[in-house]
Amino acid sequence: MLTIREIKMRTETFFREKGVPNAKLDTDILIAHSLGIKRLDIYLDLDRPLTETQLTILRPLVKRRASREPLQYIIGKTEFYGITLKVDPRALIPRHETEELIELIVERLETPPRRILDLGTGSGAIALALASKYSDAEVTATDQSDEAITLAKENALALNLSSRVTFIKGNWFEPLDEGARFDLIVSNPPYLTEAEMQTAEPEVIDHEPHNALASGQEGLDDLGLLFKSVPRHLAEGGLLALETGIGQADAIKAMALEVSLHGQSVEDLSEHPRFFFAS
């Protein structure tokens, strides 16, 4: 019978051969997930032998990760801004950069927003995180994907937020009433260029929904559509907060000025111009 230590060594080596990033961490997470234990518990019992039944559960998970399926899809969940979200191929996996966006929003809002709009909600990450942060806010979220909306509703139900977040199927602002106004409009729209999509990791190219990632030759198609409707739905004194692509700052500032919005790009923790705020 093979021990946890032996399985760890074999799996890490296998992952490295397959080019899997973070081979050691991913190995630990998959072993812990398959055994139903915490990652730390692995190191307290490295010489524990695994039964054939336990190995039968682990092997297909290892195979999936070796094929570069995202780890989050394999274990079926991810942590995001203090909440646990179900994730699967119906929607994009929430990124750490988007958590930074929420932190920056919280820093900028002097008073809690009463009405919040999340455009292109995907798994519901931004809408649900903001609903958790602002308990008195009315949150609306849109997405053009039926599958994404279903996933977001499942997450809202699991977090007991179904009564406070309304998910609407439709592209950007299209499903909203003409007179709907929001104190905070936030979005993590598709912004990768066609070239960036060609060089992305297999986890992205082969497994995540392309329409949630790429947006035309320059990565600006969806942002252009979004800006055209912002003035009709942003309340007086309201805040627009966007996650954007690196190298798009000047183009986005120009888009904002065309609709009389004045904003600024803000760097992420890696010192890349990742976010855009306007009012």
Side-chain angles (χ1 to χ4, degrees):
M1 296 176 70
L2 295 171
T3 64
I4 291 177
R5 187 191 306 274
E6 291 169 323
I7 292 297
K8 259 178 57 64
M9 292 175 60
R10 293 187 183 191
T11 303
E12 287 176 27
T13 300
F14 181 50
F15 280 170
R16 291 191 183 98
E17 291 172 350
K18 295 296 183 178
V20 174
N22 304 311
K24 183 178 184 297
L25 176 61
D26 287 11
T27 295
D28 287 357
I29 291 173
L30 286 180
I31 291 175
H33 176 71
S34 68
L35 296 176
I37 62 176
K38 296 179 180 179
R39 183 185 172 212
L40 178 61
D41 293 336
I42 294 174
Y43 291 89
L44 300 177
D45 206 6
L46 281 170
D47 294 318
R48 165 186 168 187
L50 297 184
T51 66
E52 185 57 34
T53 299
Q54 290 169 329
L55 290 174
T56 299
I57 295 172
L58 177 61
R59 286 190 188 107
L61 306 183
V62 171
K63 184 177 181 181
R64 289 169 65 185
R65 187 65 188 109
S67 72
R68 305 297 293 273
E69 182 177 349
L71 181 68
Q72 295 91 334
Y73 286 168
I74 297 171
I75 64 175
K77 62 182 179 180
T78 193
E79 299 299 317
F80 181 83
Y81 201 73
I83 59 178
T84 300
L85 295 169
K86 178 180 180 181
V87 288
D88 59 39
R90 288 178 288 177
L92 191 70
I93 298 165
R95 265 60 169 184
H96 294 304
E97 291 87 351
T98 310
E99 290 182 292
E100 290 183 49
L101 174 63
I102 295 178
E103 290 170 356
L104 290 168
I105 289 170
V106 173
E107 289 177 7
R108 278 163 172 72
L109 291 176
E110 295 181 1
T111 58
R114 294 173 53 247
R115 300 193 70 197
I116 298 171
L117 174 64
D118 174 26
L119 297 166
T121 194
S123 65
I126 293 175
L128 296 171
L130 289 171
S132 296
K133 175 67 179 179
Y134 298 109
S135 58
D136 293 328
E138 175 186 327
V139 182
T140 302
T142 68
D143 201 290
Q144 65 177 345
S145 166
D146 284 312
E147 291 185 335
I149 288 289
T150 300
L151 175 60
K153 287 180 177 179
E154 290 170 6
N155 277 320
L157 183 63
L159 294 166
N160 295 317
L161 291 171
S162 296
S163 63
R164 295 193 39 238
V165 184
T166 301
F167 294 100
I168 308 173
K169 200 264 184 184
N171 193 36
W172 304 125
F173 292 96
E174 287 177 2
L176 301 177
D177 293 335
E178 182 64 28
R181 296 289 187 274
F182 300 90
D183 304 307
L184 170 63
I185 297 176
V186 58
S187 183
N188 175 20
Y191 56 72
L192 294 184
T193 67
E194 295 296 337
E196 287 171 330
M197 278 301 297
Q198 296 300 317
T199 58
E201 293 292 334
E203 286 85 349
V204 174
I205 296 174
D206 297 333
H207 297 280
E208 295 196 85
H210 284 210
N211 62 358
L213 291 159
S215 186
Q217 194 69 27
E218 302 299 325
L220 294 168
D221 289 4
D222 286 286
L223 281 161
L225 291 173
L226 191 151
F227 270 107
K228 289 179 181 178
S229 297
V230 167
R232 295 200 303 271
H233 295 284
L234 188 63
E236 185 176 352
L239 176 68
L240 171 68
L242 303 171
E243 182 175 333
T244 64
I246 298 169
Q248 296 177 337
D250 290 341
I252 292 170
K253 285 180 182 178
M255 287 182 187
L257 286 174
E258 285 180 6
V259 294
S260 301
L261 290 173
H262 298 276
Q264 64 174 147
S265 291
V266 177
E267 293 182 345
D268 60 19
L269 293 178
S270 299
E271 299 184 347
H272 298 304
R274 175 74 62 183
F275 312 109
F276 185 79
F277 294 89
S279 58

